[in-house]
Amino acid sequence: MSKSKAPSSKKPQRIGILTAGGDSPGLNAAIRGFGKAAIGHYGMELIGFQDGIRGLAENRFLSLDSKALSGILTLGGTILGTSRDKVHKMMVDGEVRNMVPTIVDNCEKDGLDALVCIGGGGTAKNAQRLAAAGLPVIHLPKTIDNDIAHTDTSFGFSTALGIATEAIDRLHSTAHSHHRVIIVEIMGHRAGWLALGSGIAGGADIILLPEIPYSVDKVVESIEMRARHGANFSVIAIAEGARDVSAAAELAAAESLIKQADTPEGKAAAKKHRASVLASHRGNAYALAEKLEAATGLESRVTILGYVQRGGTPDAQDRLLGTLLGGAGADLVARGEFGFTVASQAQKAVPVPLEEVAGRVKMVPLDHPWIDAARHVGTGLGD
């Protein structure tokens, strides 16, 4: 897919907007940022599709005027609702259907001149598929995982970082008082930005990331070293996707089978195997706690933050970023430039072609300054 540009003689007037994927702080700020710029600055008409891609496929929408956008800057979640549907694989009436043609028809029927999709990596893929089908689309990047390619920060990350950091702060007192190992599981299936950032900011003693397969023996060694120095407790921040060395190798082998498959049937079987491997390693925080308790003699407990991390009022940074990227998205639509993710780079909104974003994950580089900072203060990373 290549970027598209509307004829200069046609100024977009009627725009559709939706939020998709998991909810995240800053979604309403982005809706408001885009909407106020589109309506107030460019004189456009805005409609919001309800419940993400599903609402787009079912053509359920509401009008968004200045009044509807008023007062939503500080609200968590999304006023439009959301869903995790895929445009080409949507469950409808008990069967999986490709809804791209239906969505294209809906956009034409609704007289849309552009479609704005706000969401994470899955939404970027959906946006790319719709752009490939000929729709004028732009994508605004949100996710608390901060793993969207080519954007420094996605809105939602800053708020979640603060919440996870506060949780680690609070767990320190319990770990210290009861001489326990407390493992706090933090969101991040594929990338460890949130666990790493909050682990450093919260003073976690050990941080375990998807990017660095850990050795249980090394974790035990870190705990015992602390004990020798008089600290008979430890706080461990672990990302959901963190795995020990053997589990990481098993998953890598499953991923390799997918790449080697040369038929649709073979690829489907390989993906099913990968799903089985992933399922077999769920609850890794609890498994780790059992191993650590047996090895160290210290009570080991698990706290899973879960959806608390992405709920509630967005912080100042996410309100600012959502507003910045939303307004920049309206500028792109006004110029008739489509097929882009509006990324944040060096404090500026930068359009990046969707094909460079969709399907890619921004992992934590092993030479990232945050990794160096953790090691410099003696934080164990399990390696």
Side-chain angles (χ1 to χ4, degrees):
M1 185 205 75
S2 60
K3 64 182 180 180
S4 58
K5 186 169 183 177
S8 58
S9 60
K10 182 182 179 182
K11 180 181 178 182
Q13 292 292 331
R14 184 170 165 86
I15 315 301
I17 191 169
L18 60 83
T19 53
D23 64 296
S24 173
L27 282 171
N28 287 323
I31 294 169
R32 174 183 177 274
F34 180 89
K36 281 188 169 288
I39 297 168
H41 191 68
Y42 291 111
M44 300 175 186
E45 179 185 356
L46 186 64
I47 64 171
F49 288 96
Q50 298 171 293
D51 303 325
I53 296 298
R54 182 158 295 273
L56 179 62
E58 296 173 354
N59 208 24
R60 293 185 285 109
F61 61 85
L62 49 83
S63 176
L64 294 176
D65 55 15
S66 296
K67 183 177 180 180
L69 299 174
S70 178
I72 69 171
L73 177 65
T74 61
L75 298 180
T78 164
I79 62 169
L80 295 177
T82 187
S83 66
R84 292 186 178 277
D85 296 285
K86 299 177 181 179
V87 293
H88 66 307
K89 292 180 180 179
M90 187 179 296
M91 185 64 69
V92 179
D93 296 330
E95 62 181 53
V96 177
R97 297 183 185 177
N98 177 9
M99 298 301 288
V100 172
T102 299
I103 290 171
V104 171
D105 288 344
N106 286 344
C107 290
E108 291 178 355
K109 183 164 46 180
D110 296 337
L112 294 187
D113 296 293
L115 177 66
V116 180
C117 299
I118 308 177
T123 304
K125 290 181 184 179
N126 279 330
Q128 184 186 29
R129 292 186 180 102
L130 294 178
L135 289 181
V137 178
I138 66 166
H139 167 243
L140 301 182
K142 71 86 199 157
T143 173
I144 69 168
D145 293 341
N146 197 36
D147 62 356
I148 299 178
H150 298 293
T151 190
D152 294 343
T153 308
S154 51
F155 50 87
F157 176 67
S158 178
T159 304
L161 184 66
I163 293 169
T165 298
E166 183 179 357
I168 295 172
D169 288 346
R170 292 176 180 275
L171 289 169
H172 267 285
S173 60
T174 294
H176 179 270
S177 299
H178 292 271
H179 314 311
R180 287 175 176 168
V181 173
I182 290 188
I183 301 172
V184 54
E185 185 183 274
I186 296 166
M187 283 186 170
H189 281 294
R190 301 177 298 177
W193 294 102
L194 191 56
L196 179 59
S198 61
I200 294 172
D205 306 299
I206 299 165
I207 302 172
L208 304 178
L209 308 173
E211 292 85 353
I212 304 177
Y214 64 86
S215 161
V216 175
D217 290 341
K218 289 291 185 180
V219 177
V220 170
E221 185 179 304
S222 294
I223 294 171
E224 291 180 339
M225 183 179 296
R226 284 176 50 74
R228 287 194 296 270
H229 288 84
N232 55 358
F233 72 95
S234 291
V235 175
I236 301 175
I238 182 172
E240 287 173 299
R243 294 173 180 83
D244 64 26
V245 174
S246 62
E250 190 177 353
L251 181 59
E255 296 283 0
S256 180
L257 289 176
I258 294 175
K259 293 178 181 178
Q260 294 171 13
D262 54 7
T263 65
E265 294 79 11
K267 192 171 288 290
K271 287 183 176 180
K272 185 176 181 179
H273 173 64
R274 179 184 61 182
S276 176
V277 170
L278 288 171
S280 70
H281 294 296
R282 288 197 182 109
N284 57 347
Y286 289 102
L288 178 61
E290 290 180 4
K291 293 175 183 177
L292 295 182
E293 185 165 319
T296 66
L298 294 172
E299 277 190 281
S300 299
R301 296 291 183 264
V302 175
T303 294
I304 297 178
L305 298 187
Y307 296 126
V308 169
Q309 294 161 94
R310 69 186 197 200
T313 301
D315 68 9
Q317 175 61 27
D318 281 334
R319 297 180 203 182
L320 177 61
L321 186 58
T323 302
L324 170 70
L325 299 186
D331 292 338
L332 279 183
V333 172
R335 294 198 300 267
E337 297 178 9
F338 305 108
F340 292 102
T341 288
V342 186
S344 172
Q345 296 180 1
Q347 305 297 315
K348 296 180 180 179
V350 177
V352 178
L354 267 170
E355 65 265 23
E356 296 180 17
V357 176
R360 302 187 184 187
V361 180
K362 184 182 71 176
M363 309 291 283
V364 178
L366 298 185
D367 61 351
H368 193 275
W370 288 8
I371 295 284
D372 293 339
R375 295 194 191 279
H376 285 159
V377 297
T379 305
L381 298 177
D383 60 348

PDB file of all heavy atoms in Angstrom, residues 127-153:
ATOM      1  N   ALA A 127      -6.352  -0.419   9.564  1.00  0.00           N
ATOM      2  CA  ALA A 127      -6.299   0.801   8.752  1.00  0.00           C
ATOM      3  C   ALA A 127      -5.582   0.546   7.436  1.00  0.00           C
ATOM      4  O   ALA A 127      -5.998   1.039   6.373  1.00  0.00           O
ATOM      5  CB  ALA A 127      -5.592   1.911   9.536  1.00  0.00           C
ATOM      6  N   GLN A 128      -4.506  -0.229   7.483  1.00  0.00           N
ATOM      7  CA  GLN A 128      -3.766  -0.529   6.259  1.00  0.00           C
ATOM      8  C   GLN A 128      -4.625  -1.333   5.282  1.00  0.00           C
ATOM      9  O   GLN A 128      -4.612  -1.077   4.073  1.00  0.00           O
ATOM     10  CB  GLN A 128      -2.498  -1.299   6.586  1.00  0.00           C
ATOM     11  CG  GLN A 128      -1.614  -1.558   5.359  1.00  0.00           C
ATOM     12  CD  GLN A 128      -0.432  -2.442   5.663  1.00  0.00           C
ATOM     13  OE1 GLN A 128      -0.500  -3.275   6.553  1.00  0.00           O
ATOM     14  NE2 GLN A 128       0.656  -2.257   4.935  1.00  0.00           N
ATOM     15  N   ARG A 129      -5.374  -2.291   5.803  1.00  0.00           N
ATOM     16  CA  ARG A 129      -6.237  -3.094   4.920  1.00  0.00           C
ATOM     17  C   ARG A 129      -7.332  -2.234   4.286  1.00  0.00           C
ATOM     18  O   ARG A 129      -7.673  -2.419   3.116  1.00  0.00           O
ATOM     19  CB  ARG A 129      -6.860  -4.243   5.714  1.00  0.00           C
ATOM     20  CG  ARG A 129      -5.841  -5.297   6.147  1.00  0.00           C
ATOM     21  CD  ARG A 129      -6.506  -6.485   6.811  1.00  0.00           C
ATOM     22  NE  ARG A 129      -5.504  -7.482   7.214  1.00  0.00           N
ATOM     23  CZ  ARG A 129      -5.061  -7.648   8.454  1.00  0.00           C
ATOM     24  NH1 ARG A 129      -5.565  -6.899   9.432  1.00  0.00           N
ATOM     25  NH2 ARG A 129      -4.151  -8.557   8.734  1.00  0.00           N
ATOM     26  N   LEU A 130      -7.877  -1.298   5.061  1.00  0.00           N
ATOM     27  CA  LEU A 130      -8.912  -0.414   4.500  1.00  0.00           C
ATOM     28  C   LEU A 130      -8.314   0.552   3.488  1.00  0.00           C
ATOM     29  O   LEU A 130      -8.939   0.865   2.468  1.00  0.00           O
ATOM     30  CB  LEU A 130      -9.597   0.352   5.633  1.00  0.00           C
ATOM     31  CG  LEU A 130     -10.408  -0.505   6.615  1.00  0.00           C
ATOM     32  CD1 LEU A 130     -11.006   0.363   7.718  1.00  0.00           C
ATOM     33  CD2 LEU A 130     -11.517  -1.279   5.892  1.00  0.00           C
ATOM     34  N   ALA A 131      -7.101   1.022   3.761  1.00  0.00           N
ATOM     35  CA  ALA A 131      -6.427   1.913   2.797  1.00  0.00           C
ATOM     36  C   ALA A 131      -6.142   1.164   1.499  1.00  0.00           C
ATOM     37  O   ALA A 131      -6.285   1.723   0.400  1.00  0.00           O
ATOM     38  CB  ALA A 131      -5.139   2.458   3.401  1.00  0.00           C
ATOM     39  N   ALA A 132      -5.733  -0.103   1.620  1.00  0.00           N
ATOM     40  CA  ALA A 132      -5.467  -0.910   0.434  1.00  0.00           C
ATOM     41  C   ALA A 132      -6.736  -1.134  -0.389  1.00  0.00           C
ATOM     42  O   ALA A 132      -6.675  -1.343  -1.602  1.00  0.00           O
ATOM     43  CB  ALA A 132      -4.864  -2.254   0.834  1.00  0.00           C
ATOM     44  N   ALA A 133      -7.889  -1.075   0.294  1.00  0.00           N
ATOM     45  CA  ALA A 133      -9.176  -1.234  -0.394  1.00  0.00           C
ATOM     46  C   ALA A 133      -9.652   0.071  -1.016  1.00  0.00           C
ATOM     47  O   ALA A 133     -10.731   0.109  -1.620  1.00  0.00           O
ATOM     48  CB  ALA A 133     -10.226  -1.760   0.574  1.00  0.00           C
ATOM     49  N   GLY A 134      -8.867   1.137  -0.846  1.00  0.00           N
ATOM     50  CA  GLY A 134      -9.184   2.406  -1.497  1.00  0.00           C
ATOM     51  C   GLY A 134      -9.763   3.481  -0.611  1.00  0.00           C
ATOM     52  O   GLY A 134     -10.068   4.578  -1.087  1.00  0.00           O
ATOM     53  N   LEU A 135      -9.919   3.196   0.691  1.00  0.00           N
ATOM     54  CA  LEU A 135     -10.475   4.212   1.582  1.00  0.00           C
ATOM     55  C   LEU A 135      -9.391   5.207   2.014  1.00  0.00           C
ATOM     56  O   LEU A 135      -8.259   4.829   2.275  1.00  0.00           O
ATOM     57  CB  LEU A 135     -11.079   3.562   2.826  1.00  0.00           C
ATOM     58  CG  LEU A 135     -12.369   2.774   2.641  1.00  0.00           C
ATOM     59  CD1 LEU A 135     -12.840   2.207   3.981  1.00  0.00           C
ATOM     60  CD2 LEU A 135     -13.464   3.643   2.038  1.00  0.00           C
ATOM     61  N   PRO A 136      -9.747   6.495   2.108  1.00  0.00           N
ATOM     62  CA  PRO A 136      -8.807   7.506   2.607  1.00  0.00           C
ATOM     63  C   PRO A 136      -8.732   7.445   4.128  1.00  0.00           C
ATOM     64  O   PRO A 136      -9.643   7.890   4.831  1.00  0.00           O
ATOM     65  CB  PRO A 136      -9.413   8.822   2.121  1.00  0.00           C
ATOM     66  CG  PRO A 136     -10.875   8.543   1.964  1.00  0.00           C
ATOM     67  CD  PRO A 136     -11.016   7.089   1.649  1.00  0.00           C
ATOM     68  N   VAL A 137      -7.664   6.866   4.645  1.00  0.00           N
ATOM     69  CA  VAL A 137      -7.558   6.538   6.069  1.00  0.00           C
ATOM     70  C   VAL A 137      -6.312   7.162   6.681  1.00  0.00           C
ATOM     71  O   VAL A 137      -5.265   7.240   6.033  1.00  0.00           O
ATOM     72  CB  VAL A 137      -7.484   5.007   6.259  1.00  0.00           C
ATOM     73  CG1 VAL A 137      -7.334   4.653   7.736  1.00  0.00           C
ATOM     74  CG2 VAL A 137      -8.714   4.326   5.690  1.00  0.00           C
ATOM     75  N   ILE A 138      -6.430   7.601   7.936  1.00  0.00           N
ATOM     76  CA  ILE A 138      -5.254   7.895   8.743  1.00  0.00           C
ATOM     77  C   ILE A 138      -5.407   7.190  10.092  1.00  0.00           C
ATOM     78  O   ILE A 138      -6.521   6.848  10.505  1.00  0.00           O
ATOM     79  CB  ILE A 138      -5.004   9.404   8.953  1.00  0.00           C
ATOM     80  CG1 ILE A 138      -6.109  10.036   9.794  1.00  0.00           C
ATOM     81  CG2 ILE A 138      -4.811  10.124   7.643  1.00  0.00           C
ATOM     82  CD1 ILE A 138      -5.733  11.416  10.308  1.00  0.00           C
ATOM     83  N   HIS A 139      -4.284   6.991  10.769  1.00  0.00           N
ATOM     84  CA  HIS A 139      -4.244   6.241  12.025  1.00  0.00           C
ATOM     85  C   HIS A 139      -3.565   7.080  13.092  1.00  0.00           C
ATOM     86  O   HIS A 139      -2.515   7.687  12.840  1.00  0.00           O
ATOM     87  CB  HIS A 139      -3.475   4.932  11.791  1.00  0.00           C
ATOM     88  CG  HIS A 139      -3.092   4.204  13.044  1.00  0.00           C
ATOM     89  ND1 HIS A 139      -1.772   3.992  13.410  1.00  0.00           N
ATOM     90  CD2 HIS A 139      -3.842   3.628  14.019  1.00  0.00           C
ATOM     91  CE1 HIS A 139      -1.731   3.321  14.541  1.00  0.00           C
ATOM     92  NE2 HIS A 139      -2.970   3.081  14.939  1.00  0.00           N
ATOM     93  N   LEU A 140      -4.182   7.131  14.284  1.00  0.00           N
ATOM     94  CA  LEU A 140      -3.573   7.803  15.432  1.00  0.00           C
ATOM     95  C   LEU A 140      -3.162   6.725  16.435  1.00  0.00           C
ATOM     96  O   LEU A 140      -3.985   5.894  16.816  1.00  0.00           O
ATOM     97  CB  LEU A 140      -4.553   8.779  16.088  1.00  0.00           C
ATOM     98  CG  LEU A 140      -5.102   9.906  15.211  1.00  0.00           C
ATOM     99  CD1 LEU A 140      -6.016  10.815  16.039  1.00  0.00           C
ATOM    100  CD2 LEU A 140      -3.986  10.717  14.589  1.00  0.00           C
ATOM    101  N   PRO A 141      -1.895   6.703  16.882  1.00  0.00           N
ATOM    102  CA  PRO A 141      -1.368   5.589  17.670  1.00  0.00           C
ATOM    103  C   PRO A 141      -1.606   5.710  19.167  1.00  0.00           C
ATOM    104  O   PRO A 141      -1.142   6.637  19.819  1.00  0.00           O
ATOM    105  CB  PRO A 141       0.133   5.633  17.367  1.00  0.00           C
ATOM    106  CG  PRO A 141       0.409   7.083  17.140  1.00  0.00           C
ATOM    107  CD  PRO A 141      -0.836   7.672  16.520  1.00  0.00           C
ATOM    108  N   LYS A 142      -2.317   4.749  19.737  1.00  0.00           N
ATOM    109  CA  LYS A 142      -2.471   4.671  21.186  1.00  0.00           C
ATOM    110  C   LYS A 142      -2.129   3.262  21.638  1.00  0.00           C
ATOM    111  O   LYS A 142      -2.411   2.283  20.944  1.00  0.00           O
ATOM    112  CB  LYS A 142      -3.893   5.027  21.622  1.00  0.00           C
ATOM    113  CG  LYS A 142      -4.976   3.998  21.277  1.00  0.00           C
ATOM    114  CD  LYS A 142      -5.141   2.882  22.289  1.00  0.00           C
ATOM    115  CE  LYS A 142      -5.876   1.710  21.645  1.00  0.00           C
ATOM    116  NZ  LYS A 142      -5.609   0.436  22.320  1.00  0.00           N
ATOM    117  N   THR A 143      -1.498   3.131  22.766  1.00  0.00           N
ATOM    118  CA  THR A 143      -1.362   1.877  23.482  1.00  0.00           C
ATOM    119  C   THR A 143      -0.539   2.123  24.731  1.00  0.00           C
ATOM    120  O   THR A 143       0.442   2.872  24.697  1.00  0.00           O
ATOM    121  CB  THR A 143      -0.675   0.763  22.659  1.00  0.00           C
ATOM    122  OG1 THR A 143      -0.428  -0.371  23.493  1.00  0.00           O
ATOM    123  CG2 THR A 143       0.645   1.218  22.071  1.00  0.00           C
ATOM    124  N   ILE A 144      -0.929   1.506  25.835  1.00  0.00           N
ATOM    125  CA  ILE A 144      -0.152   1.660  27.055  1.00  0.00           C
ATOM    126  C   ILE A 144       1.164   0.888  26.945  1.00  0.00           C
ATOM    127  O   ILE A 144       2.100   1.148  27.702  1.00  0.00           O
ATOM    128  CB  ILE A 144      -0.929   1.213  28.303  1.00  0.00           C
ATOM    129  CG1 ILE A 144      -1.152  -0.297  28.322  1.00  0.00           C
ATOM    130  CG2 ILE A 144      -2.248   1.953  28.433  1.00  0.00           C
ATOM    131  CD1 ILE A 144      -1.646  -0.828  29.653  1.00  0.00           C
ATOM    132  N   ASP A 145       1.257  -0.052  25.988  1.00  0.00           N
ATOM    133  CA  ASP A 145       2.473  -0.849  25.835  1.00  0.00           C
ATOM    134  C   ASP A 145       3.612  -0.070  25.180  1.00  0.00           C
ATOM    135  O   ASP A 145       4.764  -0.493  25.248  1.00  0.00           O
ATOM    136  CB  ASP A 145       2.196  -2.100  25.007  1.00  0.00           C
ATOM    137  CG  ASP A 145       1.282  -3.086  25.720  1.00  0.00           C
ATOM    138  OD1 ASP A 145       1.160  -2.990  26.962  1.00  0.00           O
ATOM    139  OD2 ASP A 145       0.689  -3.942  25.042  1.00  0.00           O
ATOM    140  N   ASN A 146       3.284   1.027  24.506  1.00  0.00           N
ATOM    141  CA  ASN A 146       4.281   1.870  23.834  1.00  0.00           C
ATOM    142  C   ASN A 146       5.084   1.085  22.796  1.00  0.00           C
ATOM    143  O   ASN A 146       6.275   1.358  22.580  1.00  0.00           O
ATOM    144  CB  ASN A 146       5.242   2.497  24.858  1.00  0.00           C
ATOM    145  CG  ASN A 146       6.009   3.676  24.287  1.00  0.00           C
ATOM    146  OD1 ASN A 146       5.497   4.439  23.493  1.00  0.00           O
ATOM    147  ND2 ASN A 146       7.264   3.821  24.688  1.00  0.00           N
ATOM    148  N   ASP A 147       4.459   0.138  22.103  1.00  0.00           N
ATOM    149  CA  ASP A 147       5.200  -0.738  21.194  1.00  0.00           C
ATOM    150  C   ASP A 147       4.882  -0.497  19.714  1.00  0.00           C
ATOM    151  O   ASP A 147       5.154  -1.354  18.869  1.00  0.00           O
ATOM    152  CB  ASP A 147       4.937  -2.202  21.547  1.00  0.00           C
ATOM    153  CG  ASP A 147       3.469  -2.604  21.405  1.00  0.00           C
ATOM    154  OD1 ASP A 147       2.621  -1.731  21.112  1.00  0.00           O
ATOM    155  OD2 ASP A 147       3.159  -3.791  21.609  1.00  0.00           O
ATOM    156  N   ILE A 148       4.321   0.671  19.385  1.00  0.00           N
ATOM    157  CA  ILE A 148       4.002   0.975  17.990  1.00  0.00           C
ATOM    158  C   ILE A 148       5.251   1.513  17.297  1.00  0.00           C
ATOM    159  O   ILE A 148       5.912   2.428  17.795  1.00  0.00           O
ATOM    160  CB  ILE A 148       2.849   1.984  17.889  1.00  0.00           C
ATOM    161  CG1 ILE A 148       1.588   1.398  18.528  1.00  0.00           C
ATOM    162  CG2 ILE A 148       2.569   2.341  16.426  1.00  0.00           C
ATOM    163  CD1 ILE A 148       0.407   2.337  18.528  1.00  0.00           C
ATOM    164  N   ALA A 149       5.565   0.944  16.158  1.00  0.00           N
ATOM    165  CA  ALA A 149       6.787   1.307  15.435  1.00  0.00           C
ATOM    166  C   ALA A 149       6.766   2.768  14.995  1.00  0.00           C
ATOM    167  O   ALA A 149       5.722   3.321  14.639  1.00  0.00           O
ATOM    168  CB  ALA A 149       6.952   0.402  14.211  1.00  0.00           C
ATOM    169  N   HIS A 150       7.927   3.385  15.035  1.00  0.00           N
ATOM    170  CA  HIS A 150       8.191   4.718  14.487  1.00  0.00           C
ATOM    171  C   HIS A 150       7.545   5.868  15.256  1.00  0.00           C
ATOM    172  O   HIS A 150       7.524   6.992  14.767  1.00  0.00           O
ATOM    173  CB  HIS A 150       7.794   4.798  13.003  1.00  0.00           C
ATOM    174  CG  HIS A 150       8.554   3.863  12.125  1.00  0.00           C
ATOM    175  ND1 HIS A 150       9.904   4.007  11.885  1.00  0.00           N
ATOM    176  CD2 HIS A 150       8.161   2.752  11.455  1.00  0.00           C
ATOM    177  CE1 HIS A 150      10.312   3.035  11.087  1.00  0.00           C
ATOM    178  NE2 HIS A 150       9.277   2.248  10.817  1.00  0.00           N
ATOM    179  N   THR A 151       7.014   5.588  16.436  1.00  0.00           N
ATOM    180  CA  THR A 151       6.541   6.693  17.271  1.00  0.00           C
ATOM    181  C   THR A 151       7.254   6.618  18.618  1.00  0.00           C
ATOM    182  O   THR A 151       7.387   5.537  19.200  1.00  0.00           O
ATOM    183  CB  THR A 151       5.008   6.673  17.455  1.00  0.00           C
ATOM    184  OG1 THR A 151       4.582   7.883  18.084  1.00  0.00           O
ATOM    185  CG2 THR A 151       4.534   5.488  18.271  1.00  0.00           C
ATOM    186  N   ASP A 152       7.771   7.744  19.085  1.00  0.00           N
ATOM    187  CA  ASP A 152       8.526   7.753  20.334  1.00  0.00           C
ATOM    188  C   ASP A 152       7.650   7.303  21.495  1.00  0.00           C
ATOM    189  O   ASP A 152       8.067   6.502  22.336  1.00  0.00           O
ATOM    190  CB  ASP A 152       9.063   9.163  20.621  1.00  0.00           C
ATOM    191  CG  ASP A 152      10.099   9.618  19.603  1.00  0.00           C
ATOM    192  OD1 ASP A 152      10.647   8.753  18.884  1.00  0.00           O
ATOM    193  OD2 ASP A 152      10.348  10.832  19.514  1.00  0.00           O
ATOM    194  N   THR A 153       6.448   7.846  21.546  1.00  0.00           N
ATOM    195  CA  THR A 153       5.516   7.526  22.624  1.00  0.00           C
ATOM    196  C   THR A 153       4.101   7.501  22.076  1.00  0.00           C
ATOM    197  O   THR A 153       3.741   8.336  21.257  1.00  0.00           O
ATOM    198  CB  THR A 153       5.585   8.584  23.750  1.00  0.00           C
ATOM    199  OG1 THR A 153       6.937   8.746  24.162  1.00  0.00           O
ATOM    200  CG2 THR A 153       4.754   8.153  24.946  1.00  0.00           C
TER     201      THR A 153
END
